[in-house]
Amino acid sequence: AMRFFVFMTGMFLAGSLLAQAHGERERREDIRRHRAMAAAHEAAAKCLESGKSEKDCLEKLRQDCKGLGIGKYCGLRHQH
Protein backbone atom coordinates (compact mmCIF):
# COMPACT_ATOMS: atom_id res chain seq x y z
CA ALA A 1 0.00 0.00 0.00
CA MET A 2 2.84 2.38 0.85
CA ARG A 3 4.63 1.70 -2.45
CA PHE A 4 1.42 2.38 -4.34
CA PHE A 5 0.97 5.66 -2.48
CA VAL A 6 4.56 6.73 -3.22
CA PHE A 7 4.16 5.70 -6.86
CA MET A 8 0.91 7.67 -7.25
CA THR A 9 2.41 10.71 -5.52
CA GLY A 10 5.36 10.58 -7.92
CA MET A 11 3.06 10.28 -10.91
CA PHE A 12 1.02 13.25 -9.71
CA LEU A 13 4.12 15.40 -9.25
CA ALA A 14 5.54 14.40 -12.63
CA GLY A 15 2.20 15.21 -14.28
CA SER A 16 2.11 18.57 -12.53
CA LEU A 17 5.59 19.44 -13.76
CA LEU A 18 4.75 18.46 -17.33
CA ALA A 19 1.53 20.47 -17.25
CA GLN A 20 3.43 23.49 -15.95
CA ALA A 21 6.08 23.20 -18.68
CA HIS A 22 3.37 22.91 -21.32
CA GLY A 23 1.69 25.99 -19.89
CA GLU A 24 4.92 28.00 -20.10
CA ARG A 25 5.45 26.93 -23.72
CA GLU A 26 1.92 28.07 -24.57
CA ARG A 27 2.52 31.33 -22.71
CA ARG A 28 5.64 32.04 -24.78
CA GLU A 29 3.70 31.27 -27.97
CA ASP A 30 0.90 33.64 -26.89
CA ILE A 31 3.48 36.38 -26.27
CA ARG A 32 4.99 35.79 -29.72
CA ARG A 33 1.53 35.99 -31.34
CA HIS A 34 0.62 39.20 -29.48
CA ARG A 35 3.85 40.82 -30.64
CA ALA A 36 3.28 39.70 -34.23
CA MET A 37 -0.30 41.06 -34.16
CA ALA A 38 0.89 44.33 -32.64
CA ALA A 39 3.54 44.67 -35.35
CA ALA A 40 0.94 44.00 -38.06
CA HIS A 41 -1.38 46.66 -36.65
CA GLU A 42 1.47 49.16 -36.21
CA ALA A 43 2.41 48.59 -39.85
CA ALA A 44 -1.24 49.18 -40.85
CA ALA A 45 -1.29 52.46 -38.89
CA LYS A 46 1.95 53.60 -40.55
CA CYS A 47 0.53 52.61 -43.93
CA LEU A 48 -2.52 54.82 -43.35
CA GLU A 49 -0.31 57.66 -42.05
CA SER A 50 1.72 57.48 -45.25
CA GLY A 51 -1.37 58.42 -47.23
CA LYS A 52 -2.02 55.05 -48.85
CA SER A 53 -5.63 54.01 -49.31
CA GLU A 54 -7.50 52.15 -46.59
CA LYS A 55 -8.11 49.34 -49.09
CA ASP A 56 -4.37 48.90 -49.71
CA CYS A 57 -3.51 49.07 -46.01
CA LEU A 58 -6.22 46.57 -45.05
CA GLU A 59 -5.01 44.19 -47.74
CA LYS A 60 -1.49 44.35 -46.31
CA LEU A 61 -2.92 43.84 -42.78
CA ARG A 62 -4.88 40.84 -44.03
CA GLN A 63 -1.70 39.31 -45.45
CA ASP A 64 0.31 40.04 -42.29
CA CYS A 65 -2.40 38.53 -40.07
CA LYS A 66 -2.80 35.29 -41.99
CA GLY A 67 -2.66 32.48 -39.43
CA LEU A 68 -2.21 34.82 -36.44
CA GLY A 69 -5.60 35.73 -35.09
CA ILE A 70 -9.31 35.36 -35.46
CA GLY A 71 -10.63 36.69 -38.72
CA LYS A 72 -8.63 38.20 -41.51
CA TYR A 73 -7.54 41.35 -39.62
CA CYS A 74 -5.99 39.76 -36.47
CA GLY A 75 -9.22 40.19 -34.55
CA LEU A 76 -9.52 43.94 -35.15
CA ARG A 77 -11.94 45.49 -37.52
CA HIS A 78 -13.29 48.81 -36.27
CA GLN A 79 -16.18 51.00 -37.30
CA HIS A 80 -16.04 53.91 -39.71
Side-chain angles (χ1 to χ4, degrees):
M2 185 61 155
R3 283 185 183 184
F4 179 74
F5 176 74
V6 170
F7 173 77
M8 291 306 290
T9 303
M11 293 299 289
F12 173 76
L13 291 174
S16 296
L17 289 174
L18 287 174
Q20 189 175 14
H22 183 69
E24 184 58 30
R25 197 173 315 124
E26 287 176 335
R27 180 178 160 86
R28 285 193 306 268
E29 183 60 22
D30 284 347
I31 291 167
R32 184 197 67 76
R33 274 194 214 108
H34 279 294
R35 286 194 171 126
M37 286 184 220
H41 284 284
E42 180 63 24
K46 287 180 179 179
C47 180
L48 291 169
E49 286 175 337
S50 75
K52 292 183 182 175
S53 73
E54 182 178 15
K55 181 181 175 187
D56 289 343
C57 296
L58 283 178
E59 176 57 27
K60 176 74 169 105
L61 178 62
R62 186 189 66 73
Q63 291 170 7
D64 291 346
C65 288
K66 198 170 213 163
L68 276 181
I70 296 171
K72 50 186 177 176
Y73 302 109
C74 296
L76 180 70
R77 176 68 183 197
H78 49 83
Q79 297 176 343
H80 283 276

